[in-house]
Amino acid sequence: MRGQPRILINTPDIELWPGGLLHARSNFDARALARARHVLRRKRDGRYLAVDLPEGLLALVPHLRREPGLEAALDAIEAPPSHLRAGIEHVRELPLDRLEERLHALGLDGAYGERTGLELVAEPDWLAFAGFDRYRRPLWLHVDAARAWHHLREAAQRDGVVLEAISGYRSHDYQLGIFDRKLARGLSVDEILTVNAAPGYSEHHSGLALDIGAPDEPPAEESFEKTGAFAWLRDNAQGYGFVMSYPRDNPHGIVYEPWHWYFTG
């Protein structure tokens, strides 16, 4: 985490990835991505929309100008992101109004939050690159959580314990995609809610939550609690600002998740 971190600039519909982190999906994409300062990536399905090159914007899809959210994304390229404004690090939250509309389409309203004790979680307008997860995917976290994760992992390593990141930030669109795919398979919203938090109610949306694993241990399984990695986290994580969000018999009705840790600061 030394020096200026690489930044994911976040807008409601489109993410702006720094060059050099996304894999090309065609020879044309490879040539464009190799020179990109930013890659515009649609949040809904991960489609690459355009690359920001030194000589200008290169479209990777037809009818780019009709893409929802494009103007906001282009404005974000032109304006200094909030982490550079006034020379201080600052994170702003994206609006929640569109999310509430989409929740209503699923038949969900404020009663879900009241029943579970969970609150709607806004996405940050930028996230810091925190290395790679177990699957060599870029790991994005709130800048404070990214620093704390770096220190936590290094401390564990000094004690002979290896901690692996399984996942960090997830967008509202990512969670909505889970619901869309399961609904298409014939599941009801109530059935999906038994294993997945409603879109907008996951701590992962904030960039402050991290799923942690250990080598040779399956991800997101209760068996993680029997590992030396979990024992080390139980004894040391709070000193670095991380707490386990969903212990047994938690008041939110969420299954026991010994792998899920939240940065409180």
Side-chain angles (χ1 to χ4, degrees):
M1 299 299 297
R2 294 178 179 85
Q4 180 64 41
R6 282 186 277 190
I7 298 301
L8 175 71
I9 301 174
N10 200 14
T11 70
D13 297 291
I14 297 171
E15 298 168 342
L16 294 112
W17 284 60
L21 288 178
L22 288 170
H23 297 294
R25 297 166 180 169
S26 68
N27 289 336
F28 179 77
D29 284 356
R31 290 191 295 271
L33 265 60
R35 302 176 53 238
R37 297 182 298 188
H38 299 95
V39 181
L40 281 67
R41 183 176 182 265
R42 186 191 290 145
K43 292 168 73 170
R44 187 176 72 251
D45 58 8
R47 180 78 180 270
Y48 301 166
L49 300 173
V51 291
D52 171 33
L53 301 174
E55 62 270 24
L57 197 68
L58 174 65
L60 299 178
V61 295
H63 313 300
L64 175 65
R65 292 293 168 181
R66 302 179 192 172
E67 186 69 31
L70 179 65
E71 291 306 315
L74 296 179
D75 288 345
I77 291 178
E78 295 298 327
S82 61
H83 73 286
L84 294 178
R85 292 173 194 148
I88 61 173
E89 289 179 336
H90 181 65
V91 178
R92 297 180 179 177
E93 295 182 341
L94 298 183
L96 287 166
D97 52 345
R98 292 175 62 256
L99 174 65
E100 290 172 342
E101 293 174 5
R102 296 163 83 178
L103 284 170
H104 290 158
L106 292 172
L108 298 173
D109 54 24
Y112 172 81
E114 294 170 7
R115 183 173 72 252
T116 61
L118 298 173
E119 296 181 356
L120 281 173
V121 180
E123 297 179 24
D125 69 342
W126 68 277
L127 297 117
F129 177 65
F132 295 93
D133 67 16
R134 168 187 287 187
Y135 308 103
R136 299 304 299 166
R137 301 173 302 193
L139 177 70
W140 298 108
L141 293 171
H142 184 289
V143 62
D144 295 331
R147 287 198 190 97
W149 165 241
H150 173 75
H151 295 309
L152 180 76
R153 187 179 53 184
E154 281 197 341
Q157 195 165 19
R158 288 194 296 269
D159 289 340
V161 174
V162 176
L163 301 178
E164 294 182 333
I166 302 300
S167 65
Y169 162 75
R170 301 176 197 158
S171 70
H172 296 155
D173 276 294
Y174 181 95
Q175 199 81 351
L176 283 159
I178 292 174
F179 274 67
D180 287 343
R181 289 189 292 275
K182 291 188 175 184
L183 288 168
R185 297 206 304 265
L187 295 176
S188 69
V189 170
D190 286 341
E191 288 172 325
I192 301 169
L193 287 173
T194 62
V195 292
N196 295 109
Y201 288 89
S202 170
E203 291 182 337
H204 284 283
H205 300 322
S206 67
L208 294 167
L210 186 66
D211 290 344
I212 300 175
D216 303 320
E217 177 69 21
E221 294 287 346
E222 189 174 315
S223 58
F224 177 64
E225 73 168 353
K226 299 178 180 178
T227 66
F230 175 77
W232 190 93
L233 286 168
R234 183 190 58 213
D235 294 339
N236 297 278
Q238 191 164 359
Y240 294 86
F242 286 94
V243 298
M244 187 170 57
S245 296
Y246 307 118
R248 285 190 174 89
D249 302 318
N250 65 80
H252 307 296
I254 294 177
V255 297
Y256 173 46
E257 295 189 355
W259 62 86
H260 180 101
W261 295 77
Y262 182 78
F263 179 70
T264 60

